Amino acid sequence: MKAVVLGSVAYSDNSYMTKLFTRESGMVTVSVHTGGRGAKVRRSFLLPLTLLDVELTGRENNEVKYISDCRVYRQCNDLIANPMKMLGSQFICEVTEKALKFQTSADGEIFDFVEEAIVEMDELKGDVESWMIVYMYSLMQQVGIVPDLSDYRLGMSLDLDEGRVVRYGKFARETEVLVRVLGGGDVGNDFLPLAEFMIKYFQRHLEGFGIVKSLGLFE
């Protein structure tokens, strides 16, 4: 089955607990061993946003699965070679994992969206930070919490709780930049405050979304 690597935590030199988002089973936790001749997974396979074709084993009622076979089905070399994309991959992984953590059943449409976004990010020639803002907004659409910006006029602010723009509010600047970026503009120096604002929106509308630690990479 197709899978996207969304995070790995080492628990020994060659063993990891890895979060995969799969096309057939949604979010899956797998125990991975990368050492020894019989290992099915190389350590490089666990890099953020790696696109894998995996076969999983394990009892149906067991939360942790095992990989019986694995290969990379599409190389995304620029995500590794480009320093900004490498940082962005970690951030996108964490945001995606938190947004989809309770997605434990098949949803081909959401998987296809994530897969296409990874390929697009790999091939991107423009501004990575602006692209990430658009991705976060598109992810909101995929999980059904996208805010309504249709009535936006300059000076209006997105209400985090109501999910719509209002005439008065404390996020007028962030809302202005968001509308500009969604319209094809660059985020400029506003990436960090705008990303923080959008994370707050995720937190208000997705229970258990939590803190995005990788945002600190851009400070």
Side-chain angles (χ1 to χ4, degrees):
M1 71 175 75
K2 284 185 172 183
V4 177
V5 177
L6 293 182
S8 293
V9 177
Y11 61 90
S12 71
D13 288 345
N14 296 308
S15 298
Y16 301 83
M17 296 298 289
T18 299
K19 288 284 188 181
L20 300 178
F21 181 55
T22 71
R23 199 175 199 282
E24 296 180 17
S25 303
M27 292 294 299
V28 177
T29 300
V30 296
S31 177
V32 177
H33 300 279
T34 60
R37 292 183 179 180
K40 301 295 184 181
V41 183
R42 300 176 186 174
R43 191 171 297 180
S44 62
F45 289 6
L46 303 182
L47 291 172
L49 300 184
T50 301
L51 296 171
L52 299 176
D53 187 2
V54 299
E55 291 184 13
L56 302 181
T57 60
R59 294 180 181 178
E60 187 175 344
N61 59 351
N62 193 335
E63 291 185 4
V64 178
K65 305 296 182 183
Y66 301 90
I67 294 178
S68 59
D69 201 7
C70 179
R71 69 179 182 88
V72 176
Y73 71 85
R74 190 192 191 282
Q75 296 284 350
C76 293
N77 295 323
D78 206 44
L79 294 185
I80 303 169
N82 184 311
M84 189 62 196
K85 289 184 181 181
M86 188 165 58
L87 293 179
S89 294
Q90 296 179 56
F91 177 70
I92 291 300
C93 270
E94 189 174 3
V95 170
T96 304
E97 189 274 329
K98 290 179 180 298
L100 302 179
K101 65 169 61 177
F102 300 117
Q103 189 77 34
T104 56
S105 58
D107 192 320
E109 183 176 334
I110 294 181
F111 183 88
D112 291 345
F113 158 76
V114 175
E115 179 188 47
E116 290 169 9
I118 293 168
V119 173
E120 183 179 293
M121 186 181 183
D122 181 55
E123 297 176 348
L124 182 69
K125 303 303 181 185
D127 176 26
V128 176
E129 290 182 328
S130 297
W131 181 91
M132 289 191 291
I133 294 297
V134 175
Y135 174 83
M136 293 172 72
Y137 184 83
S138 299
L139 184 60
M140 290 175 182
Q141 291 177 312
Q142 292 293 323
V143 298
I145 62 167
V146 68
D148 182 4
L149 302 175
S150 60
D151 294 329
Y152 176 76
R153 299 291 182 274
L154 189 62
M156 298 179 78
S157 173
L158 177 61
D159 186 294
L160 290 179
D161 293 313
E162 295 188 17
R164 63 181 181 88
V165 289
V166 294
R167 185 168 298 180
Y168 302 105
K170 62 179 181 179
F171 297 113
R173 173 61 182 172
E174 290 86 349
T175 307
E176 178 185 349
V177 178
L178 175 59
V179 171
R180 184 182 76 214
V181 173
L182 294 177
D186 290 336
V187 71
N189 295 322
D190 292 303
F191 172 75
L192 194 58
L194 182 53
E196 289 174 342
F197 172 64
M198 297 183 76
I199 288 168
K200 288 178 182 177
Y201 187 87
F202 272 115
Q203 291 168 340
R204 296 286 180 92
H205 294 271
L206 291 179
E207 185 177 356
F209 185 86
I211 298 171
V212 179
K213 295 180 180 179
S214 57
L215 186 62
L217 297 170
F218 301 94
E219 293 179 348

